[in-house]
Each structure stands twice: as structure tokens, then as C-alpha cells.
Amino acid sequence: MARKHEVLTRKLRMGMVGGGPGAFIGDVHRKAAHLDGQIELVAGAFSRDPRKSRQQGRELFLDPKRVYASHTEMIVGERARPEGERIDFVSVVTPNVSHYEIARDFLRAGFHVVLDKPMTFNLRQARQLRALVRRSRLVFALTHNYTGYPMVKLAREMVRQGELGKLRKIKVQYPQGWLYAAHEKAGAKQAVWRTDPKQSGPAGCMGDIGTHAENLAEYITGLKIVEVCADLTAFVRGRKLDDDGNCLVHWEKGVKGLLSASQIAIGEENGLAIWVYGDQGALEWHQEHPNYLYVKRPEAPVEVWRRGNEYIGAKSAAAARATRLPFGHPEAFIEAFANIYVNVAETIRARAAGQRPDPLASDFPTVDDGLRGMLFINAVVKSAKQGAKWVKIPKV
Amino acid sequence: MARKHEVLTRKLRMGMVGGGPGAFIGDVHRKAAHLDGQIELVAGAFSRDPRKSRQQGRELFLDPKRVYASHTEMIVGERARPEGERIDFVSVVTPNVSHYEIARDFLRAGFHVVLDKPMTFNLRQARQLRALVRRSRLVFALTHNYTGYPMVKLAREMVRQGELGKLRKIKVQYPQGWLYAAHEKAGAKQAVWRTDPKQSGPAGCMGDIGTHAENLAEYITGLKIVEVCADLTAFVRGRKLDDDGNCLVHWEKGVKGLLSASQIAIGEENGLAIWVYGDQGALEWHQEHPNYLYVKRPEAPVEVWRRGNEYIGAKSAAAARATRLPFGHPEAFIEAFANIYVNVAETIRARAAGQRPDPLASDFPTVDDGLRGMLFINAVVKSAKQGAKWVKIPKV
Amino acid sequence: MARKHEVLTRKLRMGMVGGGPGAFIGDVHRKAAHLDGQIELVAGAFSRDPRKSRQQGRELFLDPKRVYASHTEMIVGERARPEGERIDFVSVVTPNVSHYEIARDFLRAGFHVVLDKPMTFNLRQARQLRALVRRSRLVFALTHNYTGYPMVKLAREMVRQGELGKLRKIKVQYPQGWLYAAHEKAGAKQAVWRTDPKQSGPAGCMGDIGTHAENLAEYITGLKIVEVCADLTAFVRGRKLDDDGNCLVHWEKGVKGLLSASQIAIGEENGLAIWVYGDQGALEWHQEHPNYLYVKRPEAPVEVWRRGNEYIGAKSAAAARATRLPFGHPEAFIEAFANIYVNVAETIRARAAGQRPDPLASDFPTVDDGLRGMLFINAVVKSAKQGAKWVKIPKV
Amino acid sequence: MARKHEVLTRKLRMGMVGGGPGAFIGDVHRKAAHLDGQIELVAGAFSRDPRKSRQQGRELFLDPKRVYASHTEMIVGERARPEGERIDFVSVVTPNVSHYEIARDFLRAGFHVVLDKPMTFNLRQARQLRALVRRSRLVFALTHNYTGYPMVKLAREMVRQGELGKLRKIKVQYPQGWLYAAHEKAGAKQAVWRTDPKQSGPAGCMGDIGTHAENLAEYITGLKIVEVCADLTAFVRGRKLDDDGNCLVHWEKGVKGLLSASQIAIGEENGLAIWVYGDQGALEWHQEHPNYLYVKRPEAPVEVWRRGNEYIGAKSAAAARATRLPFGHPEAFIEAFANIYVNVAETIRARAAGQRPDPLASDFPTVDDGLRGMLFINAVVKSAKQGAKWVKIPKV
């Protein structure tokens, strides 16, 4: 029992696969993990190039013995350490193509896993990973980070409490503009793998960011997509994967609406936004101004709910828990991201200590979210290939 | 010749059909016509109820002899006056169902016509009216008023000059919320006729405001819709016409995008807005903040172009012409509406005087716009009935 | 008695002094007067240059006999007409220097007067004009047009009803940027007279727009300024009058705050804005986005009140009366301006008909507002000359 | 020499004084220090109550031996450790009253210091601390955190490069509303010490947040305040220190403007904002929307510069260095705060390694900023006591 509680008296130890020099999302994961002083990075296989991996390890002040040349080396190396000194979990931040294999291997080796999205390269892997996670009883989290924002959690709670009445319509969009030209031909690393079907899978834009839109709508409303009618385009000459997509969507319970994503929308940066309409009220939220939730009721002034106020905590404990700073001191992307790590860490600690985790700590995206994301990708690609016909998404 | 020029020395004389007590759009037309001191209202058949028509005439200080009980009376009455004392044109602001007949009769009687949108009750009437207008050589304007905004004219000019490069994507939306409940059952006049297929025609929301979205996109980009895939819904129980619609759209030249309209989007008031993306730049405009046009270029700060500045006039003579006030003194809905009347008035004067009108004065919506609006309505209704299949829109 | 009511059966007849070719504010006055179909312009002395005056008259379709070479000619000419055919009132839109003389002469001749602000060239004239108006029992209005906005009227009502509790602080500002360089040296008409002490009086920026800020704060809060401490500057080389001013202000009842105005604030267009703070709530309004009033209460979401909704009319009859269009159809500068004319017209009609005007029709700026504006100008100029010492403003 | 470089191979070790249970700013400092994985907290004296200090230490997973009962104990304890295992620097986050003594003792003991603002309790202490820092040659940083925002650094660079021309006017404001009522009487910890002259010093609101406004303006423009004319008020009954203040300000080089701060402005949260006007351009920035800088030029569209773009890095290396995430992924308060720690850490490392630090790493507020802050506080308090007379601020 003393053993069990050891994990409560120290920072959790994280390993990382991916996130070498020049990577974007790996660095975000590290900052998010560090922010709250609950987690320390102690091991990594940052690149397939051992020199780059070592370089990254040095910059992160890691013990060189725990900087590995591959994820399999890391598994071997960490398992070779005394039980109380191993990594507690791994964070996997490689391109989509290798997600499944790495996550599988760590799960089989008994490590909890945090995995970047989209979950896998294809649907088959997603199903297999889900089965594996279920059998493993390990903690598995997918970093659909936008649901980490406090005001998104508030939005979900307002829907749950019926403040919007019966839902009718959802509009969710994720416009970006950075792939408006063929940057992949110029070798831009972030562009190259995202536009390569061998690394990204069957979808481009819709997989990379459309899944965030899909996940956000589902998280807030609790409704799953029933069917989509998708119009995908690769506007940039020579591009093999969609860089723009527009979908008609039917959600459960007769809710209808639009989901669109683009990476050729010049001037848009990271414009994830959602509007949810019910028969008694509506909500609006914008990722680039994340501290505000607009609440609309019939024949009444628009209400601007602002993060960090007591009236928000009174409405949503999850939003309060996800909040670090008082009102007016803006929180943003990394803090939202960190909210996944905070909850994962608490869940891991509780399990290790044989305790029941705070139910609020379970508020992070799971392997089911990941599978639904892959089903969504498959459906939109199939619909688009048929010239925008309705394609159903099976229940998970 | 002296005769010809008489019209240049006085205000134009307008008659009105519709716009009785409690009407919304009739009063807007009158204010728009009055604003610039170019037009005076001198005759009217404001209501089918002669008492109401007279009441309205008194409130407008009209000569009681020129307040008529019907549009046919007005035609007879005005034609009976000496040639130089008749109305110069008529403004028709009745519900859709009577548009065709009234416009037809005035055109046949030789009067210029300003007609509210949508142009007719059905497509057949639209085709007939177009044939009639073409034969008549009279001035005919349709009040798709949103294209009267200076910044919309600037947007059109920027597209024309190629500032956005080759166009790729359009997103246009018109959300409203006022019909979120069955106000028509409570007898609200504006709600009753708009939700009644016998007065409005085959479409509800898509006819009433979806056509504005369709027209705005076409005006700015110069591109016509090739095909639509529409998902229409009547969310309010018992409503016979759509109160919400979402469309995938293909425009000419490979441009794709989304068009949506709603009247159940609680909290939205009159949120017509458009985003146009090309391969070299993008534009964004919002009707509720009409004095601003957002111009986006790759890897550069967003530019906020503000109505009334010299740099706008330097770019677009049409925008300058449509501007009354210096920068920072906001102009709005009535002023945009009035820009149609200003141009119609100048065109009528020029024709009467045997002059060639300023080409900029031709910048108002025509019978062709009206026909395309009716084709759009027909296509979306047909598509929706087929469960959101693609339906082509014929060229006009 | 039949005679009395004649005025109720026709448009009111307006004369205008000033507003010749190229004038800005004269044209605004005309459009504002025309908008609602209650007033027609029938006479004018538009310029001291008779040729220009005639040109303007022709463009306005006036009877050439009623286009005069001077305001004195207009008085003579109009008084020579039969009583029922004269102008009902005059609108005076000349530069400040001639305001007093013209207004005085019309009042003495028995005509109601609408006068542009600031009211007079100096304080002495303001006191004399006030005495004259009081004796005359004629209608006199000053076009502090910003108080014509519906949301400003709503703000006033909320303060009156105590929604903000006891007031504490006011911040009011009017930044413009258009005089950032010496445009007056290049002969720009609007710049020349505004920067010339012989035409504008003792203050430049503070007289031209600072008085609007002073009037707006007083209108909304009902509080008069007790004393000011003003720091005025002429930033542009060679300019004789202030083009920027910052004031500490003490209002009645212990309310404190800031009033600033500028014409060298590059990029600002017409940024009149006000914040009012009480011990139970606060208000915020921006002239460039006039359809919105932000209402703030302790520990609650910000409320965005939007023009045209029933909940606004329920709170403020004056706001409802000042509203022409439904929510979401923006109203703006000319409409606010026209609200003064609407109320003036109704008041004139009522008096002519021997009726008591609707109390709401008295909601327009008076000669007392004008006098307080002049007292304000004098105080800030005096304070600034003393190096920003406190100067008291006498009660009116 | 090997010794020197040891510090380059590990995280820097931080001690903290203050920041016990329930503290706001202490937790911000910790998160800011942790964010980038450059610093680890290893020691603390978190509260004067040893029990609370220990509790906090446990929550932070600290070695209980390094959780101290007082800052003097910490100094003794850390100096007793082998040279390579001591804290590298201390972060002091107590209320103002103890700043001087704690900072002094650590400096004398040879530790680098990060100190929260305002720097000291009074001006005398500020002068003494400055002398001490200068003699010590240790790194000393004051957490005027708002200058850590990338867009503030961009603003400074634009001013430096002359993009605004010769500066004319500054408007800077910091409105808050949370002290609108006497929360201190209810025992709210944050309110109690801030409104207590014995803990906060001679000023309340102006010391707590007015100094941020003063520092921000100076940072961006490079101009120091020459004199102020201040009107301070304690609006809440029984409050001994100002909770609202408005100042006329004269900066160097003839620049004039306004500085205001409030803690009774209901509905305002943390509304620090600045406008800087030159004779060729202007800038505007808002802390609550920190990723945007508005750039205004004469007769041109407003430019919205957005954090994270290459064009920003091309203009300002300091802004680029202060940026962690791509455009559209918002950064906020903690990230800005962390930018001070990043630069402090790099400077400490470089000194320890006998290297010259990157000049950009010196971009953090210093003891001179702290002294000027105290001079500012003294001047505004003196001016206010004299009924808002001009008071000069001596050069530092």
C-alpha cells in the first residue's frame, strides 16, 4: 500500500515519442505537461534520427541514458528500470502513420498512453486500438485539445442542463489558410506529411482539423453524427488529399447542420468555431477568442459569459476545474491542452493509488472519440468519392 | 425637347402598392425613396382595405384623390392625369403572391417598376415577367437591397480587379432567429404570410432570405450557381415551409462552398455575411457591421477597409457613389436601400431626358437577378425533396 | 381653429441657411429632415455666393424664387408670402461665427429654429440667444445629434431607473484623426474654418467635438459638469486652435472622470464613446457601432442590448420611438440625426395646432444645452491657458 | 570552467517566498516558471504559517527539507547546501510591504532575484534596492508581466523604427471592477491587503495596477513621464486607499495624454489597453485580446497584426522570441509572464557560464523600472493630495 501511494508524492514521469527538433505539436505537449508542475518529462525517443533525438534530449536536460533511438528501445529501457523509476506514461506525438504501432506497443508493455489525433492511420487500426485499450484497463487519452477549454466545458454543461431546450441546428467550422499554396513542394515539414496520403491517411484537411470540428460538436452537444454528405476538394494543384471540405450533417435526435474545414482559406488562422441552436436558446464559441461564450436567448440581450468568474463555476464544475486564472487574465491554447494532461495525471495517480478518481478527472477524450473520428474520416471520404451522397456513420 | 427635360427639374413621382399600416418593408421603401430628396411619394394603393389605404395616405400627407383602393385603380387614375403629372414609377411592396400581377399591369401601362423580392410567386411568372420587361424597355428594379451597401460594391470591385486571384470558395449565410417559435399561430402579420405557401410560394426561409444570400454572392463574385445540394427543414411544429436550410453549392469556374439560411437561429438577428476566398486573397463582410470590409492576403496583416475613405473611392467608383457620409459616421440599412432608388431615379431621368445614364447608375438588381432567384428557390426545394441530391440551375 | 390644424395635414416646410455645394453637415441636415416624409425643404440661402446658392437650389429642385442670397433676404421673402405658405422653420448650418446672428434674426421674425452646434461663436452670444429663445416661446433645437441614437436614449433611461445605482465615474472620449496634418494649409474647406479662430471661436477640437462628448455624458447621466482641468494642445505646427484635449472632470454628485477629444489621433474616425460606472452597474456605448449598448452588472455576464428589440421598447419609450427598423437591420448616423427633426417637427405641429406635444417629442437638445456647451468651451480654454488648473462651470 | 558550464546542462533551480495556499500571483509565477521546462521549483517559504508552508510544499512535491518557515531560513538552508545544489535564484511573491527586506536579504546572500511589482513599499526602499542591485551585479527582474506579450514587443519595435513618426499622444488605461464593493470587509484575502496602506503603501489602485499602465507606456514608447496631474478617489466607503485614478500626463519629448486605472469599474475585468499616436501612424493594443496589434496609418485601412506570423518576426526579433505557438493558436497571460522567466533564466545561465547573454534575453523589467514605478506612485499620490496639481517625476 505504501507502494501504491508513492505516486502521490511526486511528479508523474512522462516519456515522449516524436517531438524532435522543429516539431510543432511535440513542444506543445511538453509545455502542456509541464505547466502545472504535476508531470516531468524524463525519457524520449524524439526522432528516428538518433542524433536529432539526442540533441532534443540535451535541450530538454534529459538523462542521456533515457534518450532512446526508437519507441521500442524506450519500452525495453524503461521496463528494465526498477518499477518505481520507470515512466508512468508515454505521450505519442508522431505523424498519424505510426500512431497505432507505437500506442499498441506501449499499451502491451503496460504503459498508459496519451496520443495525438487523428488516432490512427486507418479505421482498422482504430478498431484494433480500441479493443486493445479496453482489454488493457490502462489510461488512454487522445488530445482533441479544444475540448480542454473552460468555456467549451461550460457550453457542454449548459446543453446538458437544458438551457438551450431541444437542440435543432449545429454549425461548426474550422477554417485555416496556411496551405493555400503548395508549401509541401518547398519542403515545409508541417505541410509535407499532412498532404501525403502515406503519412496522413485517406483525408487531408478533414482528418487533420475536420475531426476537431466533429469532436467539438459531439463533446458540447453529446450528439453523434448519423450521416454526412461531403464535398471535398484539393484546390492546390498536385495535392493528393483534400485541402477543403464542406459537409451537410445529420446528428442524432433530428439535429441538422453544417461542418466545414479548410486549409486554403487565406487569412483564416485557426478559426475553429461553433454555433449550437436549440428551441430555447443558442451558444456561440470561437477558439481564437476562447475566454468568451456567447449565450443567446429569445427576445433578450446577448450574454457574454467570461472565463474565470464565479458564476461560471456555479454553473459548471468542469469549467471551474479547467480554469487557472482570474477573469480578465486570458488563458489560451496551451492551458486548454494542459487540461487534458491534468486530468490524465489525476486519473493515473488515482489508479496507481487504488483510489477512485474524481469523476471530473475523467473529462478527457478517449479511444471512443478516436474511433468516431476515424469513422467520420472514412464517411466523408466515401461520401465525397460518390459526388456528395449521404453516407451513414455506424454507432460505436 | 423641353418636355423631355422637364423631369430633370423636379423630384420624381412615385406611387406605391402595398405598405399599409403595420407593414415593415413598405415603410423602408418610402424612407429610402425620400432620403436623398430625389423622389416624392404622390400616390398609393396601400392596402386592399380601402379604409386602411386612406388612413395610410393621410399619414403620408397624400392628396386623397391619389390614394387608391387597388393597383388597377391606381393605373387608371394616374393614366387619366395629364402626362406631366402622373407618377413616374411605382414601387410594389406586397407579399410575393401578388408581385407578378401588379408588376405586369404597371409595365403594360407603361410605368417603370421597383419590385420587392423574391420577384414572383413561382418560376413561370418569373420567366413571363422577364419577357415582359425585356419587351417593355422600361426600367425595372428588384430590391435585393444588400447589394446597395458601399462595402459590398467595394468587394465586387476587388474581385473584378483580381485582388483575390482565382476564386476558390464562398461561404455565405443568412441566419435569423425571429421565427424560432410558431408566431404565425399567434397571428403575427410578418410571420403569417411568410410561413404560408399560398402567399410565399414553394420556399419559406430560403425564398425570403436565402435568395438574398444567393444574390449577394453572385453580385460580389460575378459567378452564377451551377448546382446545389440542399437540406431544408421546418423545425417548428406545424410549419409548412422550411424555416432553415443548408446547401452545398457549386458556382461557375469550379468555385465551391456553402450557403445557409435560417429563421430559427435564436439570437441571430439579420446576420447576412459572406466570405470569399481566392488563391491570392480573401474578403469578409457582415451586414450588421456594414461599414467594414475585411481584406485578407497571404502572410500579411488583415486589412480593415472602412467606408467613406478616399482610398475606397480610389478603388471603386461604385462604392464612392453609394456613400453619403464621411468615414466614422456610420451608414446603414436604409442608406443601402436608398442606393437602389438613387440609381433607379437617375436611370429613369436619363431615359426620360433621352440621355445615356451614367453607367454607374445601372448598378441595381434587375429582372435577371429576380429570375435567377426564382431558379435558385426551385432548385433548392427540388433538391431537398429528393433528400439533398444535386440539382442543376439552368443559365439565364 | 381650422387654420390651426392646417399644419397637421401637410409636410412641414423648412428653409435652410448654409449647406451650399461641398458642405458636409448641410447635406446631412437635409437627408435627416427628408427621411421620414414629415418635412420638405422649400427655401434656402445656401451660400454667400449667390451663384452657388442658386446652383444648390437647382440641385434640390427648389422654386428659384425661394432661393435667396442671404438669410435676411430669406426672412423678408418668406414673411412676404401668405401666412400658410411660408416656411415653418429654418435650419441653420453655417460655420459657428454666424450662428448667433442668423438664429437671432429668424427668432425675431417669428420662425422656429434648428441650429447646428456649437451654438454660438462665444459665450456672450450664447447667453443672449438663450434669453431671446426664452422670450420668444418659439421652438429652438440644437443638433447635438448623437443623443438621437436609440441606444443612447436607452442608456439614459437605465441610469434614470437606477439600474447602475449611484453613479461614480464617467469616461467619455471623441477621437478623430483627420486633422493629423495641416490640411487647412492645402485649402481643405472643412479644415480651414475649423482651425480658424475667427470662424470657430476660442476652441478648435474641444469646440467642434469635445462639446459632443460633454453633451452626451450630460444627456445620459443627467449630471452637469462642475469643474474641469484641461490640457489642450495644438500638435500640428502653425495651428492656432487646439487639435487635442484631455480633461479631468468633476460632475455633480461626486462623479469623476475623463473627457478627451482629438483630431490628430491617426486611424480614429469618429470614435465618440462613453463608459458610465455606478456602484451597481455600468454602461458602454460606441458611436461607430451605435446599435449596441453594453450593460455590465457585478459578477454577471455582460449583456449586449441590441436596437430594435421589444425588450428595449419595454425599458425605454424614447428608444422605441427613435427606432425605425427591426433588430439586425442597422440604423446609423442619419437616422439619429433625423430623430431630432422628427421631434422638432412634432413639437412645431403641436404648437401650431394648439395641442400639447407628446412629452417624448420634447426629447431634443435645447438652447440650455447650447449654453452649457459654450460654458464648457470657455472653461476648458481657460483651464488650459492656466496650465491645466481646475476651472468651475457655473450652473445654468 | 567545467563548473561554470554545469548550469547549462540542467534546469535552473528556483526558490519561492510567498505563494502559499490561496495565493493568486504565486501560482502564476510557478506556472510561468515551469512552462518551458527551463526551471524547476526546489525550495520555498510559502507562508509565515509553517503549517501552510509545508502544505504548499507537499502539493508541489518539494523535498520537505527545502520547505522553510521564513525567507531567512531559506537563505541559511540553501547556503548550507553544496554550491552546485543550491537554488539559482529566488522568486518573491509576497505583498508589497515585505518586498524590500526579502529581496535585500537574498541579494546580500548572493542570489539572483525575481520580484513581483510594485517593487517596494515606499520610495526610500526602492532607491536602496536599486543601489543594492547595482552593487551586487546579480540578476534582478521585476514582473511587470504585460511587457512580456509578443505584440507589446512588436509595438515597441514599431515605435523604435519610426513607423509612427514623431509621437504625440498616449492613452493608457487599466480598468478593473472587482473592488466595486467593500470585499475587504468580508475578509477576501486579495482585497484585504491591497486596500490596506500598511501592506500596500501609499497608493491602492494606482500602485497595484496604475504602475502597470505606466510601465507599459514607457516600455512601448521609450518615453518617461515628466509630470502628472492626478485625481484619485476612494469610492468605496471606508476605503483608505484610492480605488480609482485619472491622470493627465506629460511624457518626454512633448508627448501628452491620459493614464487611468480603476478597480471600481464594474464589468471591466483586466482591461489594460494602450493607444499610441504619432504624426505618421498609431498603435492600439488590449491585454484581454493580446494576440492582436492594431496598426493605423493615415488614409489607409487599419491593419490587424496577428501574433505568430512570419511578418511579425521579420519586424521584431523580440516578438518572435516571445512566441511559442503558430498563428491562430492563442497565447495569453501565463505565456507572457513566462517570457520574463525565460529571459531571466537565459541571463542567469549565461552569467554562470561566463558567457555574454543574447541581447534579446535582457528584455525583462529591471530595478530601474521598479524605481520609476515607485516615483510614479509617489507623484500621483502627491498630486492628488494637492487637488490635482502637476507634480514632476525626477529622472532615474
Side-chain angles (χ1 to χ4, degrees), chain B residues 235-247:
Chain B
F235 277 108
V236 173
R237 189 185 302 267
R239 195 165 279 167
K240 290 174 187 145
L241 296 176
D242 57 288
D243 49 26
D244 184 87
N246 305 308
C247 306

PDB file of all heavy atoms in Angstrom, chain B residues 235-247:
ATOM      1  N   PHE B 235     -38.436  23.298 -38.730  1.00  0.00           N
ATOM      2  CA  PHE B 235     -38.225  22.843 -37.356  1.00  0.00           C
ATOM      3  C   PHE B 235     -39.442  23.084 -36.471  1.00  0.00           C
ATOM      4  O   PHE B 235     -39.697  22.341 -35.534  1.00  0.00           O
ATOM      5  CB  PHE B 235     -37.003  23.530 -36.746  1.00  0.00           C
ATOM      6  CG  PHE B 235     -35.704  22.884 -37.113  1.00  0.00           C
ATOM      7  CD1 PHE B 235     -34.819  23.485 -37.988  1.00  0.00           C
ATOM      8  CD2 PHE B 235     -35.374  21.640 -36.585  1.00  0.00           C
ATOM      9  CE1 PHE B 235     -33.613  22.876 -38.325  1.00  0.00           C
ATOM     10  CE2 PHE B 235     -34.167  21.025 -36.908  1.00  0.00           C
ATOM     11  CZ  PHE B 235     -33.287  21.652 -37.787  1.00  0.00           C
ATOM     12  N   VAL B 236     -40.146  24.152 -36.730  1.00  0.00           N
ATOM     13  CA  VAL B 236     -41.276  24.486 -35.869  1.00  0.00           C
ATOM     14  C   VAL B 236     -42.475  23.633 -36.259  1.00  0.00           C
ATOM     15  O   VAL B 236     -42.883  23.597 -37.427  1.00  0.00           O
ATOM     16  CB  VAL B 236     -41.597  25.987 -35.955  1.00  0.00           C
ATOM     17  CG1 VAL B 236     -42.887  26.301 -35.202  1.00  0.00           C
ATOM     18  CG2 VAL B 236     -40.443  26.793 -35.378  1.00  0.00           C
ATOM     19  N   ARG B 237     -43.011  22.976 -35.285  1.00  0.00           N
ATOM     20  CA  ARG B 237     -44.109  22.040 -35.496  1.00  0.00           C
ATOM     21  C   ARG B 237     -45.268  22.707 -36.232  1.00  0.00           C
ATOM     22  O   ARG B 237     -45.704  23.792 -35.867  1.00  0.00           O
ATOM     23  CB  ARG B 237     -44.586  21.524 -34.146  1.00  0.00           C
ATOM     24  CG  ARG B 237     -45.580  20.365 -34.221  1.00  0.00           C
ATOM     25  CD  ARG B 237     -46.082  20.005 -32.830  1.00  0.00           C
ATOM     26  NE  ARG B 237     -44.967  19.651 -31.952  1.00  0.00           N
ATOM     27  CZ  ARG B 237     -44.538  18.411 -31.765  1.00  0.00           C
ATOM     28  NH1 ARG B 237     -45.110  17.407 -32.399  1.00  0.00           N
ATOM     29  NH2 ARG B 237     -43.519  18.171 -30.943  1.00  0.00           N
ATOM     30  N   GLY B 238     -45.717  22.042 -37.271  1.00  0.00           N
ATOM     31  CA  GLY B 238     -46.873  22.536 -37.990  1.00  0.00           C
ATOM     32  C   GLY B 238     -46.547  23.514 -39.109  1.00  0.00           C
ATOM     33  O   GLY B 238     -47.418  23.903 -39.870  1.00  0.00           O
ATOM     34  N   ARG B 239     -45.305  23.885 -39.197  1.00  0.00           N
ATOM     35  CA  ARG B 239     -44.942  24.848 -40.235  1.00  0.00           C
ATOM     36  C   ARG B 239     -44.813  24.119 -41.566  1.00  0.00           C
ATOM     37  O   ARG B 239     -44.200  23.052 -41.649  1.00  0.00           O
ATOM     38  CB  ARG B 239     -43.630  25.523 -39.839  1.00  0.00           C
ATOM     39  CG  ARG B 239     -43.331  26.764 -40.626  1.00  0.00           C
ATOM     40  CD  ARG B 239     -42.238  27.575 -39.974  1.00  0.00           C
ATOM     41  NE  ARG B 239     -42.719  28.401 -38.879  1.00  0.00           N
ATOM     42  CZ  ARG B 239     -41.917  29.014 -37.995  1.00  0.00           C
ATOM     43  NH1 ARG B 239     -40.615  28.864 -38.076  1.00  0.00           N
ATOM     44  NH2 ARG B 239     -42.437  29.764 -37.047  1.00  0.00           N
ATOM     45  N   LYS B 240     -45.369  24.727 -42.613  1.00  0.00           N
ATOM     46  CA  LYS B 240     -45.399  24.038 -43.904  1.00  0.00           C
ATOM     47  C   LYS B 240     -44.184  24.340 -44.763  1.00  0.00           C
ATOM     48  O   LYS B 240     -43.864  23.605 -45.693  1.00  0.00           O
ATOM     49  CB  LYS B 240     -46.675  24.404 -44.657  1.00  0.00           C
ATOM     50  CG  LYS B 240     -47.926  23.794 -43.999  1.00  0.00           C
ATOM     51  CD  LYS B 240     -49.186  24.296 -44.669  1.00  0.00           C
ATOM     52  CE  LYS B 240     -50.406  23.828 -43.912  1.00  0.00           C
ATOM     53  NZ  LYS B 240     -51.478  24.829 -43.942  1.00  0.00           N
ATOM     54  N   LEU B 241     -43.563  25.453 -44.518  1.00  0.00           N
ATOM     55  CA  LEU B 241     -42.399  25.829 -45.327  1.00  0.00           C
ATOM     56  C   LEU B 241     -41.137  25.762 -44.486  1.00  0.00           C
ATOM     57  O   LEU B 241     -41.173  25.916 -43.259  1.00  0.00           O
ATOM     58  CB  LEU B 241     -42.579  27.238 -45.874  1.00  0.00           C
ATOM     59  CG  LEU B 241     -43.745  27.434 -46.856  1.00  0.00           C
ATOM     60  CD1 LEU B 241     -43.863  28.908 -47.236  1.00  0.00           C
ATOM     61  CD2 LEU B 241     -43.540  26.580 -48.107  1.00  0.00           C
ATOM     62  N   ASP B 242     -40.026  25.545 -45.155  1.00  0.00           N
ATOM     63  CA  ASP B 242     -38.728  25.481 -44.485  1.00  0.00           C
ATOM     64  C   ASP B 242     -38.502  26.737 -43.643  1.00  0.00           C
ATOM     65  O   ASP B 242     -38.760  27.853 -44.084  1.00  0.00           O
ATOM     66  CB  ASP B 242     -37.610  25.353 -45.511  1.00  0.00           C
ATOM     67  CG  ASP B 242     -37.616  26.492 -46.518  1.00  0.00           C
ATOM     68  OD1 ASP B 242     -38.521  26.518 -47.383  1.00  0.00           O
ATOM     69  OD2 ASP B 242     -36.758  27.384 -46.412  1.00  0.00           O
ATOM     70  N   ASP B 243     -37.964  26.512 -42.438  1.00  0.00           N
ATOM     71  CA  ASP B 243     -37.505  27.649 -41.649  1.00  0.00           C
ATOM     72  C   ASP B 243     -35.996  27.594 -41.428  1.00  0.00           C
ATOM     73  O   ASP B 243     -35.428  28.384 -40.682  1.00  0.00           O
ATOM     74  CB  ASP B 243     -38.256  27.763 -40.316  1.00  0.00           C
ATOM     75  CG  ASP B 243     -38.312  26.462 -39.540  1.00  0.00           C
ATOM     76  OD1 ASP B 243     -37.412  25.620 -39.722  1.00  0.00           O
ATOM     77  OD2 ASP B 243     -39.263  26.282 -38.746  1.00  0.00           O
ATOM     78  N   ASP B 244     -35.357  26.665 -42.133  1.00  0.00           N
ATOM     79  CA  ASP B 244     -33.905  26.516 -42.043  1.00  0.00           C
ATOM     80  C   ASP B 244     -33.419  25.750 -43.254  1.00  0.00           C
ATOM     81  O   ASP B 244     -34.073  24.802 -43.704  1.00  0.00           O
ATOM     82  CB  ASP B 244     -33.529  25.749 -40.770  1.00  0.00           C
ATOM     83  CG  ASP B 244     -32.028  25.655 -40.568  1.00  0.00           C
ATOM     84  OD1 ASP B 244     -31.461  26.591 -39.977  1.00  0.00           O
ATOM     85  OD2 ASP B 244     -31.416  24.662 -41.025  1.00  0.00           O
ATOM     86  N   GLY B 245     -32.283  26.155 -43.785  1.00  0.00           N
ATOM     87  CA  GLY B 245     -31.747  25.428 -44.924  1.00  0.00           C
ATOM     88  C   GLY B 245     -30.242  25.532 -45.017  1.00  0.00           C
ATOM     89  O   GLY B 245     -29.654  26.593 -44.762  1.00  0.00           O
ATOM     90  N   ASN B 246     -29.613  24.416 -45.390  1.00  0.00           N
ATOM     91  CA  ASN B 246     -28.164  24.351 -45.568  1.00  0.00           C
ATOM     92  C   ASN B 246     -27.874  23.766 -46.933  1.00  0.00           C
ATOM     93  O   ASN B 246     -28.410  22.725 -47.277  1.00  0.00           O
ATOM     94  CB  ASN B 246     -27.553  23.446 -44.495  1.00  0.00           C
ATOM     95  CG  ASN B 246     -27.935  23.897 -43.106  1.00  0.00           C
ATOM     96  OD1 ASN B 246     -27.767  25.054 -42.761  1.00  0.00           O
ATOM     97  ND2 ASN B 246     -28.473  22.986 -42.290  1.00  0.00           N
ATOM     98  N   CYS B 247     -27.014  24.419 -47.678  1.00  0.00           N
ATOM     99  CA  CYS B 247     -26.743  23.959 -49.042  1.00  0.00           C
ATOM    100  C   CYS B 247     -25.247  23.846 -49.302  1.00  0.00           C
ATOM    101  O   CYS B 247     -24.486  24.757 -48.969  1.00  0.00           O
ATOM    102  CB  CYS B 247     -27.292  24.948 -50.078  1.00  0.00           C
ATOM    103  SG  CYS B 247     -29.028  25.342 -49.884  1.00  0.00           S
TER     104      CYS B 247
END
